[in-house]
Amino acid sequence: MTEAAGYRVWALPGIPEVSPGDDLVALVAEAAGGGGLVDGDVLVVTSKIVSKAEGRVLRADDREAAIEAESVRLVARRGPARIVESRHGFVMAAAGVDASNTPKGTVLLLPEDPDASARRLREGLREALGVDVGVVVTDTFGRPWREGQTDVAVGAAGVQVLEDLRGGADTHGNPLGVTVTAVGDELAAAGELVKGKANGLPVAVVRGLGRHVGGEEEGSARQLVREAADDMFRLGTSEAVREAVAMRRTVREFDGREVDPGSVRRAVDAAVTAPAPHHTTPWRFVLLETAETRTLLLDAMQEAWIADLRADGKSEESIARRVRRGDVLRNAPYLVVPCLVAEGAHDYPDARRSAAEREMFTVAVGAGIQNFLVALAAEQLGSAWVSSTMFCRDVVREVLRLPAEWDPMGAVAVGRPAGEPRPRPPRDGGEFTVVR
């Protein structure tokens, strides 16, 4: 008969209030007593007592300043509440800076290196008690999409923190393609159920899961931190918008990979939410998805451009140089021609108001194109908005078979950037602001 699966978890009593400089190994070993720990046990230790023992207590009248110092990136903000990336790489509230369970006027910081703290505790207990245990150092996190908080692993030693089941099969024989179990976090949560937040029981013991314990190389809470490239929810809403705006750069070199048409269509969906006069919809986006159409248009535009340059008296050498600079459209794997359609524009008897009416529609199309460029950036696509179609509108309309009332407003080259953009010099909005 197969033995029933199970484990036990209990809080370890007898650990006193911890102060800076205390020997945490000695305190835990004394509380465990003789035979209190056996090989394969997992100690689940609240990070607060680790921080206190390591002197990570900071006198701070201003907790906000401590949060700022421990943060490397703002993820989301709502009022005074901040979700940040700590310098450890954890995405969490307030960078783990805690003002609870510490004297007034002080705050607790996370351990300098929680994995190293877990290793020291594990090695010390092996020397003191002769047992091989795993150690998980925990802190409390909120979670996206879920109410409430739970403890997770911020440090680990001697514990398999991730169990990769990919390549196996379930009980019905279905292949497991994405299943990687966060064992470290599950152990942390199990320990918290018996430790509690205010019970004065900072250490729990989990017994019966020895298959996850052992090995000098096993266990690091860093393994539980998702890489930025794989994080689909890296930013809060307002921060995501700001990040996408910052990502929107003029890209003139593309790596040649094809562009997913669905990404461009999603960007168009964002574009047409821009404000427009008189409840109109003055935007049209012509998507050039075939190389044949792109070449046909660009060849015709180039002929018109060369004719204009010759009429301006430019030399053939100068013309050739200028044409080469226009290669950004030819090198792009995807082109979009935004157009202005002034349906619904008001008629005025005088030129002044007629010109203003036209400008209103032009501004609306510009807002739509900016939405489009930002949305492309959010899709991880580079773009360059080039004005050239505005100089040969008749040619563009003829080649693309567009109605006479559609006014091409440039062309947008779209593709995967060939490299990282150059650093953008900072701009202070105050330099462009006038207050009256």
Side-chain angles (χ1 to χ4, degrees), residues 173-196:
N174 299 310
L176 298 173
V178 296
T179 305
V180 180
T181 304
V183 174
D185 287 346
E186 291 181 331
L187 288 166
E192 176 57 21
L193 287 174
V194 295
K195 290 190 285 123

Side-chain angles (χ1 to χ4, degrees), residues 151-303:
D151 270 23
V152 303
V154 296
V159 177
Q160 179 189 21
V161 297
L162 289 172
E163 185 176 22
D164 192 345
L165 302 176
R166 292 172 295 184
D170 63 17
T171 55
H172 297 281
N174 299 310
L176 298 173
V178 296
T179 305
V180 180
T181 304
V183 174
D185 287 346
E186 291 181 331
L187 288 166
E192 176 57 21
L193 287 174
V194 295
K195 290 190 285 123
K197 296 296 181 192
N199 299 334
L201 298 169
V203 179
V205 180
V206 180
R207 180 170 293 170
L209 297 176
R211 69 182 186 276
H212 296 299
V213 178
E216 296 307 313
E217 302 302 321
E218 287 288 354
S220 165
R222 290 290 308 174
Q223 296 172 258
L224 293 160
V225 177
R226 180 166 287 160
E227 295 293 336
D230 300 326
D231 189 351
M232 295 176 64
F233 310 98
R234 186 166 167 77
L235 299 167
T237 304
S238 59
E239 289 71 26
V241 172
R242 285 196 290 271
E243 182 79 1
V245 171
M247 287 165 56
R248 194 224 60 76
R249 304 288 296 275
T250 296
V251 175
R252 298 188 177 278
E253 294 183 11
F254 303 98
D255 66 7
R257 283 182 290 171
E258 292 185 1
V259 170
D260 173 19
S263 297
V264 179
R265 284 166 173 75
R266 288 191 292 273
V268 172
D269 290 342
V272 298
T273 65
H278 315 315
H279 305 288
T280 59
T281 54
W283 325 273
R284 301 292 186 274
F285 291 85
V286 185
L287 311 182
L288 278 56
E289 294 187 343
T290 68
E292 180 183 7
T293 302
R294 292 193 295 272
T295 300
L296 193 65
L297 173 64
L298 295 175
D299 284 349
M301 287 173 55
Q302 182 171 300
E303 288 180 15

Side-chain angles (χ1 to χ4, degrees), residues 97-166:
V97 177
D98 200 340
S100 62
N101 293 305
T102 187
K104 286 187 179 299
T106 65
V107 295
L108 278 176
L109 310 181
L110 286 177
E112 186 77 31
D113 182 345
D115 284 328
S117 301
R119 287 195 298 272
R120 285 192 293 271
L121 184 53
R122 181 187 187 218
E123 292 163 3
L125 290 172
R126 179 189 295 156
E127 184 176 338
L129 301 178
V131 291
D132 185 19
V133 298
V135 175
V136 175
V137 177
T138 71
D139 198 46
T140 304
F141 279 44
R143 300 153 300 149
W145 314 296
R146 307 284 288 181
E147 289 291 344
Q149 297 176 313
T150 186
D151 270 23
V152 303
V154 296
V159 177
Q160 179 189 21
V161 297
L162 289 172
E163 185 176 22
D164 192 345
L165 302 176
R166 292 172 295 184

